[in-house]
């Protein structure tokens, strides 16, 4: 099916109703285009900030990595005299995390829960628990908390 249009088609040649429809449709399309451009700009700016932060972190790691690697794994001197719960709670607070619940999970083990925490912060914290305190993860459950980058997590931790 071929659509034939007159060669002299213009807005003035349309009925008043059609003119109004074309104008309203054009205004809506223009607003949608502006909205999409604003959203893209916001996303790009946010991604640029994250990239700059990660570049700063990489520079720091490159500058301090050899020194940290040469020092070997760290053990907290007070970790042996403190309970697992105290060590976990203190280190979570130092990392900016809040443990929302904890239960004993057998001898020398602790089940902890965290709600709506940043995934990157959580993983870095778990790594530090192992390196600095000799705490290992026996079991882990991590699921999205709805917002990008935020998770709910449950861990069974055990002191080595």
């Amino acid at each position: 099916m071929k659509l034939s249009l007159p060669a002299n088609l213009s807005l003035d040649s349309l009925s008043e109703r059609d003119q109004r429809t074309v104008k309203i449709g054009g205004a809506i399309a223009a607003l949608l285009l502006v909205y999409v451009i604003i959203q893209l700009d916001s996303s790009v700016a946010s991604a640029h900030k994250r990239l700059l932060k990660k570049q700063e972190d990489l520079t720091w790691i490159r500058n301090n990595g050899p020194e940290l690697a040469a020092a070997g794994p760290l053990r907290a001197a007070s970790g042996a005299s403190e309970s697992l719960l105290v060590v976990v709670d203190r280190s979570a607070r130092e990392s900016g995390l809040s443990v929302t619940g904890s239960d004993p999970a057998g001898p020398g083990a602790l089940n902890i829960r965290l709600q709506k925490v940043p995934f990157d912060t959580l993983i870095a914290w778990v790594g530090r628990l192992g390196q600095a305190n000799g705490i290992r993860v026996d079991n882990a459950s991590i699921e999205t908390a709805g917002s990008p980058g935020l998770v709910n997590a449950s861990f069974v931790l055990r002191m080595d």
Side-chain angles (χ1 to χ4, degrees):
M1 179 165 122
K2 226 177 185 186
L3 182 63
S4 62
L5 297 172
N8 61 352
L9 183 63
S10 69
L11 190 60
D12 293 335
S13 67
L14 298 174
S15 69
E16 187 177 321
R17 178 179 163 203
D18 290 343
Q19 287 179 10
R20 195 174 37 235
T21 302
V22 168
K23 289 177 183 177
I24 291 172
I28 290 172
L31 288 173
L32 283 174
L33 181 62
V34 168
Y35 175 77
V36 167
I37 289 171
I38 290 171
Q39 291 299 317
L40 286 173
D41 183 56
S42 174
S43 295
V44 167
S46 175
H48 184 68
K49 285 179 187 175
R50 284 192 315 270
L51 178 65
L52 289 175
K53 174 68 173 132
K54 291 188 184 291
Q55 286 174 336
E56 289 172 7
D57 291 345
L58 179 60
T59 301
W60 185 89
I61 289 171
R62 284 183 175 156
N63 291 337
N64 297 302
E67 180 182 334
L68 293 173
L74 301 176
R75 296 282 178 186
S78 62
S81 63
E82 293 179 322
S83 73
L84 179 59
L85 177 60
V86 171
V87 173
V88 167
D89 188 55
R90 184 187 68 242
S91 67
R93 278 186 279 113
E94 288 171 355
S95 294
L97 299 172
S98 176
V99 175
T100 57
S102 62
D103 301 307
L110 182 67
N111 182 10
I112 64 162
R113 291 172 302 284
L114 298 101
Q115 302 277 323
K116 295 184 179 177
V117 297
F119 178 77
D120 293 343
T121 305
L122 177 70
I123 296 304
W125 170 67
V126 170
R128 281 191 304 275
L129 277 178
Q131 289 180 339
N133 301 298
I135 297 173
R136 73 173 193 267
V137 176
D138 277 355
N139 191 358
S141 172
I142 300 173
E143 58 189 38
T144 182
S147 299
L150 295 181
V151 295
N152 295 329
S154 175
F155 293 98
V156 175
L157 302 174
R158 186 172 307 276
M159 184 83 78
D160 280 339

